[in-house]
Amino acid sequence: MQFENALTERYCAPGEAITLAANATAGIAAALIALGVKGNVLIPAFTFPATLSAVVMAGARPWVLDVDTETWGISADALEQALRTGNHEAALVVVPFGVRIDLRRHFEACTRYGAALVVDNAPGLGAAAAPLPAGRFMEVYSLHATKPFAIGEGGAIRAHRGESELLRRALNFGLLRGAPPNGTWGINGKMPEISAAVGLAVLEDFGAMLAARRRAVSRYIAAMRAHSGLAYVDELDRSPWQTFPVLLPSAEMLDEFIARAAAAGLEIRNCHRPTLEDWPGATKTGPCPVSSSLSQRMACIPVYSDITRREISTIIGIVDASLAGISLHPA
Ligand SMILES: Cc1ncc(COP(=O)(O)O)c(C=O)c1O
């Protein structure tokens, strides 16, 4: 409760509250259960498989949609069209790499079509967030060891305060102490006390961790300017920066970049290959060429909460040399 209250105070708008979960996958599943979603849920093809797992875990059906070239997420127009032409109860919109995108039109489209919207912003806790509009809307963060706010395993759901009880039930087998059953079921998605204690300790140092991450990314952004043909976000305050995503012009160039960096001792990851387009349990709303192309060209440059200035310089040196070694023009 103490950790929940502390996160609520720091990251919620008035009228909102954080509910903690065992991890973000359970948190998203609980959000869908609490919002009464049982049918078709739109999800992006370009995401980590947990997005889809959470829908299945909630007893709903994932419908995969392509993403947009510019934001790397589901566009408001694509969402609106899918809601207009399909039978979808909800959307699970991912904030790509925790780099905030404008979701106002997404919320409006869901309101128009009576759909719930859960924002999967797994790596995004720490960046300023817009208040949730009135309606069936929630946002979920991961506190996994790989995320900026890292406690081992954990999840946090930001919701309208009135929905906290439903979330608690959904995370506790459908049970709420002292209350009669309400006709909904639940999962075992509770955060253990020991994880909450770790969370309270992390919270004390989180400001310094964020500052270190932003310092690294601001130097990465400056270094990227020397190379043409790359796409990346250059607004520091849009993310707590789990990683620094950079889009290369072609799959061949990405493979060469990764190989050159690895030879120099730096692991650059490629996200999210494969996409969820043909993932077991998924139904496609249509082909997903943008997601597929992004997944073959996306490089994730490492960022750490305890990264030193010297490590940043070493990473930049390897990234620079590796990029300079390949020709950055579309094949
Ligand atoms: C977009 C996205 N959603 C959900 C998750 C799942 O988070 P957790 O590991 O806390 O269940 C992840 C994990 O990396 C993720 O990247």
Side-chain angles (χ1 to χ4, degrees):
M1 220 41 184
Q2 227 182 311
F3 182 38
E4 227 166 47
N5 291 341
L7 287 182
T8 297
E9 199 172 303
R10 186 158 321 179
Y11 295 113
C12 287
E16 296 176 356
I18 293 284
T19 302
L20 295 169
N23 50 62
T25 312
I28 297 167
L32 292 170
I33 294 170
L35 290 167
V37 175
K38 298 187 177 86
N40 299 335
V41 180
L42 291 161
I43 64 167
F46 186 64
T47 182
F48 188 67
T51 308
L52 184 147
S53 306
V55 177
V56 175
M57 199 167 165
R61 286 183 299 276
W63 280 69
V64 176
L65 193 60
D66 203 7
V67 299
D68 163 53
T69 341
E70 296 300 311
T71 64
W72 309 336
I74 293 178
S75 73
D77 289 341
L79 177 62
E80 172 115 29
Q81 196 194 333
L83 290 171
R84 187 171 53 240
T85 54
N87 175 25
H88 302 290
E89 271 184 38
L92 185 44
V93 172
V94 172
V95 177
F97 306 104
V99 181
R100 188 156 285 285
I101 49 178
D102 185 354
L103 293 175
R104 277 173 296 187
R105 288 184 52 227
H106 299 71
F107 286 120
E108 284 164 16
C110 284
T111 303
R112 244 187 321 279
Y113 290 93
L117 173 55
V118 176
V119 180
D120 174 353
N121 190 6
L125 188 63
L132 294 165
R136 295 163 67 220
F137 305 131
M138 297 188 186
E139 176 156 320
V140 181
Y141 312 99
S142 171
L143 312 183
H144 184 257
T146 53
K147 301 294 180 278
F149 200 115
I151 68 167
E153 290 275 5
I157 309 158
R158 184 164 64 97
H160 296 297
R161 207 170 264 283
E163 263 138 4
S164 302
E165 271 199 4
L166 285 171
L167 282 170
R168 246 178 254 298
R169 252 185 213 276
L171 291 162
N172 187 45
F173 316 100
L175 299 171
L176 192 68
R177 190 188 288 212
N182 72 340
T184 59
W185 61 293
I187 56 173
N188 179 4
K190 304 181 295 298
M191 174 180 279
E193 292 290 330
I194 186 78
S195 307
V198 175
L200 280 171
V202 170
L203 195 57
E204 284 185 16
D205 293 332
F206 192 50
M209 295 177 189
L210 268 184
R213 286 177 178 272
R214 291 201 166 133
R215 201 160 43 237
V217 170
S218 97
R219 288 187 55 199
Y220 293 168
I221 290 169
M224 288 303 140
R225 297 211 171 101
H227 304 278
S228 57
L230 304 173
Y232 52 90
V233 173
D234 63 0
E235 292 152 83
L236 264 191
D237 61 354
R238 274 177 57 190
S239 180
W241 303 105
Q242 175 190 0
T243 178
F244 182 60
V246 177
L247 189 67
L248 275 81
S250 74
E252 294 72 27
M253 287 175 192
L254 175 79
D255 292 343
E256 201 180 333
F257 176 45
I258 290 176
R260 282 175 182 267
L266 178 68
E267 183 185 9
I268 303 237
R269 293 217 176 144
N270 166 217
C271 306
H272 303 285
R273 182 158 50 170
T275 69
L276 301 189
E277 186 175 352
D278 296 311
W279 206 257
T283 310
K284 272 193 273 195
T285 55
C288 302
V290 177
S291 299
S292 169
S293 167
L294 292 177
S295 79
Q296 291 168 43
R297 298 188 288 130
M298 190 66 74
C300 286
I301 298 177
V303 183
Y304 308 104
S305 287
D306 58 352
I307 196 163
T308 63
R309 288 173 203 275
R310 185 190 286 251
E311 285 166 339
I312 298 170
S313 300
T314 304
I315 291 173
I316 289 175
I318 295 174
V319 165
D320 256 343
S322 305
L323 287 174
I326 53 177
S327 153
L328 285 177
H329 296 291

